Amino acid sequence: MRTHRRDATVDLKAAIRAIPDHPKPGIIFRDLTTLMGNPEAFRATCQALADAHQDRGVTHVAGIEARGFIFGAAVADRMQTAFVPVRKAGKLPHKTITKSYALEYGEDTLEIHEDALPEGARVLLIDDLLATGGTAAASVELIRAAGGEVAGAGFVVELVGLPGRSRLEGLGVETLALTSFEED
Ligand SMILES: O=P(O)(O)OC[C@H]1O[C@H](OP(=O)(O)OP(=O)(O)O)[C@H](O)[C@@H]1O
Ligand SMILES: Nc1ncnc2[nH]cnc12
């Protein structure tokens, strides 16, 4: 499903700053700190992500470090679910399941606590931005390895032209983005 929900009074796209000369070479960085700094846009974003997934029996929201924590925790609060952190390597204190993945530039590793999810958990994955999908795909694998069912994945921004959506849909994950930007 490809859905673009937007609060009638808030232009989320306009609330996001684009930085053409970001230190990561060759990418236009979509800076969501400007959206977070706009109370109407931040609130509308978290509410839209929660509303879009309200009828799916979600028991847990998983947010991906770091920016996914900010939106994921607010969505979990609105949906009255638990929050589960998917963290960069070496941060979680208890026993973890680990997955390495490719980024646009380089490689990274994510972890989830092996006991983070009870039997029957239905997990909504939330992150700020979907680009190549490597981060989200690794997170889906971690949630499943921890025994959770992925009820969907929600993003504030999708970079269209990169394979994020097709990767997630290839994993059988229904994917929703509130806004999209065309990327080459
Ligand atoms: O779809 P992908 O190509 O995997 O890219 C998307 C990921 O990249 C960014 O995170 P980043 O790794 O920069 O970490 P941060 O949130 O800690 O800044 C963003 O927040 C997503 O998690
Ligand atoms: N172009 C981009 N802007 C912001 N965050 C990103 N993560 C991966 N690609 C990105």
Side-chain angles (χ1 to χ4, degrees):
M1 182 179 74
R2 184 188 183 107
T3 311
H4 295 268
R5 294 170 64 101
R6 198 178 289 181
D7 186 284
T9 59
V10 179
D11 184 348
L12 299 184
K13 218 164 177 170
I16 298 168
R17 174 170 49 198
I19 303 179
D21 56 353
H22 188 266
K24 291 178 184 171
I27 72 167
I28 297 173
F29 192 81
R30 304 293 174 181
D31 175 22
L32 277 84
T33 63
T34 43
L35 184 149
M36 294 170 208
N38 174 335
E40 290 79 26
F42 184 53
R43 187 162 180 275
T45 297
C46 298
Q47 193 62 54
L49 287 169
D51 288 348
H53 299 97
Q54 207 59 257
D55 299 327
R56 296 204 198 166
V58 172
T59 60
H60 294 67
V61 171
I64 309 172
E65 187 171 1
R67 289 173 262 161
F69 286 179
I70 298 159
F71 294 98
V75 171
D77 179 65
R78 281 170 172 73
M79 295 185 78
Q80 300 183 48
T81 70
F83 177 80
V84 173
V86 176
R87 296 213 65 176
K88 302 277 166 70
K91 300 281 191 179
L92 287 170
H94 186 51
K95 287 185 186 160
T96 61
I97 306 169
T98 295
K99 179 80 190 166
S100 294
Y101 60 101
L103 291 166
E104 277 169 289
Y105 298 93
E107 197 190 80
D108 216 336
T109 301
L110 286 172
E111 296 184 332
I112 194 169
H113 271 148
E114 65 176 15
D115 62 357
L117 298 169
E119 201 178 326
R122 282 181 55 78
V123 182
L124 171 63
L125 180 66
I126 294 287
D127 204 357
D128 66 327
L129 183 139
L130 178 65
T132 66
T135 307
S139 301
V140 166
E141 290 186 36
L142 287 173
I143 290 164
R144 289 176 173 165
E149 187 183 342
V150 178
F155 302 88
V156 184
V157 175
E158 174 184 3
L159 302 186
V160 176
L162 296 174
R165 178 175 290 271
S166 55
R167 282 184 77 172
L168 284 180
E169 290 179 347
L171 290 169
V173 176
E174 199 168 316
T175 301
L176 175 145
L178 299 179
T179 56
S180 59
F181 291 89
E182 298 285 339
E183 301 293 315
D184 297 327

